[in-house]
PDB file of all heavy atoms in Angstrom:
ATOM      1  N   GLU A1548      27.287  96.941   5.636  1.00  0.00           N
ATOM      2  CA  GLU A1548      28.249  97.836   4.986  1.00  0.00           C
ATOM      3  C   GLU A1548      27.550  99.157   4.636  1.00  0.00           C
ATOM      4  O   GLU A1548      26.427  99.167   4.159  1.00  0.00           O
ATOM      5  CB  GLU A1548      28.736  97.159   3.703  1.00  0.00           C
ATOM      6  CG  GLU A1548      29.686  97.992   2.905  1.00  0.00           C
ATOM      7  CD  GLU A1548      29.910  97.399   1.517  1.00  0.00           C
ATOM      8  OE1 GLU A1548      30.275  96.215   1.444  1.00  0.00           O
ATOM      9  OE2 GLU A1548      29.705  98.125   0.532  1.00  0.00           O
ATOM     10  N   GLY A1549      28.211 100.254   4.931  1.00  0.00           N
ATOM     11  CA  GLY A1549      27.651 101.570   4.610  1.00  0.00           C
ATOM     12  C   GLY A1549      26.772 102.153   5.709  1.00  0.00           C
ATOM     13  O   GLY A1549      26.362 103.305   5.635  1.00  0.00           O
ATOM     14  N   GLU A1550      26.471 101.354   6.749  1.00  0.00           N
ATOM     15  CA  GLU A1550      25.573 101.824   7.809  1.00  0.00           C
ATOM     16  C   GLU A1550      26.220 102.949   8.636  1.00  0.00           C
ATOM     17  O   GLU A1550      27.419 102.938   8.888  1.00  0.00           O
ATOM     18  CB  GLU A1550      25.228 100.637   8.721  1.00  0.00           C
ATOM     19  CG  GLU A1550      23.973 100.859   9.530  1.00  0.00           C
ATOM     20  CD  GLU A1550      23.512  99.569  10.240  1.00  0.00           C
ATOM     21  OE1 GLU A1550      23.621  98.465   9.661  1.00  0.00           O
ATOM     22  OE2 GLU A1550      23.049  99.710  11.388  1.00  0.00           O
ATOM     23  N   LEU A1551      25.357 103.906   9.046  1.00  0.00           N
ATOM     24  CA  LEU A1551      25.847 105.028   9.844  1.00  0.00           C
ATOM     25  C   LEU A1551      26.103 104.576  11.280  1.00  0.00           C
ATOM     26  O   LEU A1551      25.234 103.985  11.923  1.00  0.00           O
ATOM     27  CB  LEU A1551      24.817 106.160   9.824  1.00  0.00           C
ATOM     28  CG  LEU A1551      25.261 107.504  10.403  1.00  0.00           C
ATOM     29  CD1 LEU A1551      26.396 108.096   9.570  1.00  0.00           C
ATOM     30  CD2 LEU A1551      24.096 108.473  10.458  1.00  0.00           C
ATOM     31  N   LEU A1552      27.311 104.847  11.799  1.00  0.00           N
ATOM     32  CA  LEU A1552      27.680 104.389  13.139  1.00  0.00           C
ATOM     33  C   LEU A1552      27.730 105.522  14.161  1.00  0.00           C
ATOM     34  O   LEU A1552      27.389 105.341  15.320  1.00  0.00           O
ATOM     35  CB  LEU A1552      29.048 103.698  13.097  1.00  0.00           C
ATOM     36  CG  LEU A1552      29.153 102.472  12.194  1.00  0.00           C
ATOM     37  CD1 LEU A1552      30.566 101.931  12.214  1.00  0.00           C
ATOM     38  CD2 LEU A1552      28.162 101.395  12.626  1.00  0.00           C
ATOM     39  N   PHE A1553      28.193 106.699  13.729  1.00  0.00           N
ATOM     40  CA  PHE A1553      28.239 107.863  14.616  1.00  0.00           C
ATOM     41  C   PHE A1553      27.720 109.070  13.845  1.00  0.00           C
ATOM     42  O   PHE A1553      27.942 109.188  12.647  1.00  0.00           O
ATOM     43  CB  PHE A1553      29.675 108.206  15.043  1.00  0.00           C
ATOM     44  CG  PHE A1553      30.316 107.230  15.969  1.00  0.00           C
ATOM     45  CD1 PHE A1553      30.974 106.115  15.475  1.00  0.00           C
ATOM     46  CD2 PHE A1553      30.289 107.427  17.340  1.00  0.00           C
ATOM     47  CE1 PHE A1553      31.591 105.212  16.326  1.00  0.00           C
ATOM     48  CE2 PHE A1553      30.907 106.528  18.200  1.00  0.00           C
ATOM     49  CZ  PHE A1553      31.551 105.416  17.686  1.00  0.00           C
ATOM     50  N   SER A1554      27.050 109.961  14.551  1.00  0.00           N
ATOM     51  CA  SER A1554      26.678 111.255  13.988  1.00  0.00           C
ATOM     52  C   SER A1554      26.901 112.250  15.114  1.00  0.00           C
ATOM     53  O   SER A1554      26.078 112.406  15.990  1.00  0.00           O
ATOM     54  CB  SER A1554      25.218 111.219  13.538  1.00  0.00           C
ATOM     55  OG  SER A1554      24.813 112.517  13.173  1.00  0.00           O
ATOM     56  N   GLU A1555      28.046 112.906  15.110  1.00  0.00           N
ATOM     57  CA  GLU A1555      28.483 113.637  16.292  1.00  0.00           C
ATOM     58  C   GLU A1555      28.969 115.047  15.971  1.00  0.00           C
ATOM     59  O   GLU A1555      29.709 115.250  15.017  1.00  0.00           O
ATOM     60  CB  GLU A1555      29.626 112.837  16.965  1.00  0.00           C
ATOM     61  CG  GLU A1555      30.046 113.366  18.307  1.00  0.00           C
ATOM     62  CD  GLU A1555      31.102 112.484  18.996  1.00  0.00           C
ATOM     63  OE1 GLU A1555      31.760 111.682  18.315  1.00  0.00           O
ATOM     64  OE2 GLU A1555      31.245 112.631  20.231  1.00  0.00           O
ATOM     65  N   GLU A1556      28.527 116.009  16.776  1.00  0.00           N
ATOM     66  CA  GLU A1556      29.059 117.374  16.700  1.00  0.00           C
ATOM     67  C   GLU A1556      30.308 117.430  17.588  1.00  0.00           C
ATOM     68  O   GLU A1556      30.350 116.769  18.621  1.00  0.00           O
ATOM     69  CB  GLU A1556      28.036 118.378  17.232  1.00  0.00           C
ATOM     70  CG  GLU A1556      26.832 118.604  16.344  1.00  0.00           C
ATOM     71  CD  GLU A1556      27.126 119.556  15.172  1.00  0.00           C
ATOM     72  OE1 GLU A1556      28.055 120.377  15.290  1.00  0.00           O
ATOM     73  OE2 GLU A1556      26.418 119.446  14.161  1.00  0.00           O
ATOM     74  N   PRO A1557      31.306 118.216  17.235  1.00  0.00           N
ATOM     75  CA  PRO A1557      32.508 118.251  18.072  1.00  0.00           C
ATOM     76  C   PRO A1557      32.223 118.938  19.403  1.00  0.00           C
ATOM     77  O   PRO A1557      31.358 119.811  19.473  1.00  0.00           O
ATOM     78  CB  PRO A1557      33.496 119.074  17.254  1.00  0.00           C
ATOM     79  CG  PRO A1557      32.672 119.910  16.358  1.00  0.00           C
ATOM     80  CD  PRO A1557      31.414 119.128  16.091  1.00  0.00           C
ATOM     81  N   TYR A1558      32.972 118.559  20.436  1.00  0.00           N
ATOM     82  CA  TYR A1558      32.874 119.301  21.695  1.00  0.00           C
ATOM     83  C   TYR A1558      33.479 120.682  21.486  1.00  0.00           C
ATOM     84  O   TYR A1558      32.936 121.687  21.909  1.00  0.00           O
ATOM     85  CB  TYR A1558      33.623 118.566  22.809  1.00  0.00           C
ATOM     86  CG  TYR A1558      33.523 119.303  24.130  1.00  0.00           C
ATOM     87  CD1 TYR A1558      32.374 119.195  24.901  1.00  0.00           C
ATOM     88  CD2 TYR A1558      34.541 120.145  24.565  1.00  0.00           C
ATOM     89  CE1 TYR A1558      32.243 119.896  26.084  1.00  0.00           C
ATOM     90  CE2 TYR A1558      34.417 120.846  25.747  1.00  0.00           C
ATOM     91  CZ  TYR A1558      33.269 120.716  26.503  1.00  0.00           C
ATOM     92  OH  TYR A1558      33.129 121.426  27.660  1.00  0.00           O
ATOM     93  N   SER A1559      34.623 120.717  20.824  1.00  0.00           N
ATOM     94  CA  SER A1559      35.239 121.990  20.473  1.00  0.00           C
ATOM     95  C   SER A1559      36.001 121.798  19.179  1.00  0.00           C
ATOM     96  O   SER A1559      36.381 120.677  18.843  1.00  0.00           O
ATOM     97  CB  SER A1559      36.183 122.462  21.575  1.00  0.00           C
ATOM     98  OG  SER A1559      37.178 121.493  21.782  1.00  0.00           O
ATOM     99  N   SER A1560      36.210 122.882  18.449  1.00  0.00           N
ATOM    100  CA  SER A1560      36.932 122.781  17.186  1.00  0.00           C
ATOM    101  C   SER A1560      37.442 124.156  16.798  1.00  0.00           C
ATOM    102  O   SER A1560      36.933 125.164  17.267  1.00  0.00           O
ATOM    103  CB  SER A1560      36.013 122.236  16.089  1.00  0.00           C
ATOM    104  OG  SER A1560      34.891 123.068  15.934  1.00  0.00           O
ATOM    105  N   VAL A1561      38.463 124.163  15.941  1.00  0.00           N
ATOM    106  CA  VAL A1561      39.088 125.420  15.538  1.00  0.00           C
ATOM    107  C   VAL A1561      39.345 125.400  14.031  1.00  0.00           C
ATOM    108  O   VAL A1561      39.946 124.463  13.517  1.00  0.00           O
ATOM    109  CB  VAL A1561      40.433 125.611  16.291  1.00  0.00           C
ATOM    110  CG1 VAL A1561      41.244 126.727  15.672  1.00  0.00           C
ATOM    111  CG2 VAL A1561      40.189 125.908  17.765  1.00  0.00           C
ATOM    112  N   LEU A1562      38.891 126.438  13.347  1.00  0.00           N
ATOM    113  CA  LEU A1562      39.120 126.561  11.910  1.00  0.00           C
ATOM    114  C   LEU A1562      40.592 126.887  11.658  1.00  0.00           C
ATOM    115  O   LEU A1562      41.193 127.687  12.370  1.00  0.00           O
ATOM    116  CB  LEU A1562      38.234 127.683  11.352  1.00  0.00           C
ATOM    117  CG  LEU A1562      38.256 127.905   9.841  1.00  0.00           C
ATOM    118  CD1 LEU A1562      37.600 126.739   9.101  1.00  0.00           C
ATOM    119  CD2 LEU A1562      37.557 129.211   9.477  1.00  0.00           C
ATOM    120  N   LEU A1563      41.189 126.266  10.629  1.00  0.00           N
ATOM    121  CA  LEU A1563      42.590 126.559  10.320  1.00  0.00           C
ATOM    122  C   LEU A1563      42.709 127.939   9.669  1.00  0.00           C
ATOM    123  O   LEU A1563      41.868 128.308   8.849  1.00  0.00           O
ATOM    124  CB  LEU A1563      43.154 125.492   9.371  1.00  0.00           C
ATOM    125  CG  LEU A1563      43.187 124.073   9.926  1.00  0.00           C
ATOM    126  CD1 LEU A1563      43.646 123.098   8.854  1.00  0.00           C
ATOM    127  CD2 LEU A1563      44.099 123.990  11.137  1.00  0.00           C
ATOM    128  N   PRO A1564      43.754 128.699  10.016  1.00  0.00           N
ATOM    129  CA  PRO A1564      43.876 130.076   9.515  1.00  0.00           C
ATOM    130  C   PRO A1564      43.799 130.179   7.989  1.00  0.00           C
ATOM    131  O   PRO A1564      43.242 131.137   7.469  1.00  0.00           O
ATOM    132  CB  PRO A1564      45.255 130.510  10.007  1.00  0.00           C
ATOM    133  CG  PRO A1564      45.547 129.636  11.164  1.00  0.00           C
ATOM    134  CD  PRO A1564      44.839 128.347  10.934  1.00  0.00           C
ATOM    135  N   GLU A1565      44.330 129.179   7.264  1.00  0.00           N
ATOM    136  CA  GLU A1565      44.315 129.290   5.805  1.00  0.00           C
ATOM    137  C   GLU A1565      42.905 129.209   5.224  1.00  0.00           C
ATOM    138  O   GLU A1565      42.701 129.468   4.047  1.00  0.00           O
ATOM    139  CB  GLU A1565      45.251 128.260   5.157  1.00  0.00           C
ATOM    140  CG  GLU A1565      45.056 126.814   5.557  1.00  0.00           C
ATOM    141  CD  GLU A1565      45.897 126.412   6.769  1.00  0.00           C
ATOM    142  OE1 GLU A1565      46.143 127.291   7.640  1.00  0.00           O
ATOM    143  OE2 GLU A1565      46.285 125.238   6.864  1.00  0.00           O
ATOM    144  N   GLN A1566      41.916 128.861   6.052  1.00  0.00           N
ATOM    145  CA  GLN A1566      40.529 128.790   5.567  1.00  0.00           C
ATOM    146  C   GLN A1566      39.701 130.002   5.994  1.00  0.00           C
ATOM    147  O   GLN A1566      38.504 130.065   5.723  1.00  0.00           O
ATOM    148  CB  GLN A1566      39.837 127.503   6.076  1.00  0.00           C
ATOM    149  CG  GLN A1566      40.628 126.229   5.904  1.00  0.00           C
ATOM    150  CD  GLN A1566      40.861 125.870   4.452  1.00  0.00           C
ATOM    151  OE1 GLN A1566      40.289 126.478   3.551  1.00  0.00           O
ATOM    152  NE2 GLN A1566      41.707 124.888   4.207  1.00  0.00           N
TER     153      GLN A1566
END
Side-chain angles (χ1 to χ4, degrees):
E1548 178 192 306
E1550 200 170 322
L1551 190 64
L1552 300 178
F1553 290 86
S1554 172
E1555 188 175 19
E1556 289 280 335
Y1558 181 79
S1559 59
S1560 58
V1561 167
L1562 184 69
L1563 297 175
E1565 53 270 31
Q1566 312 295 351

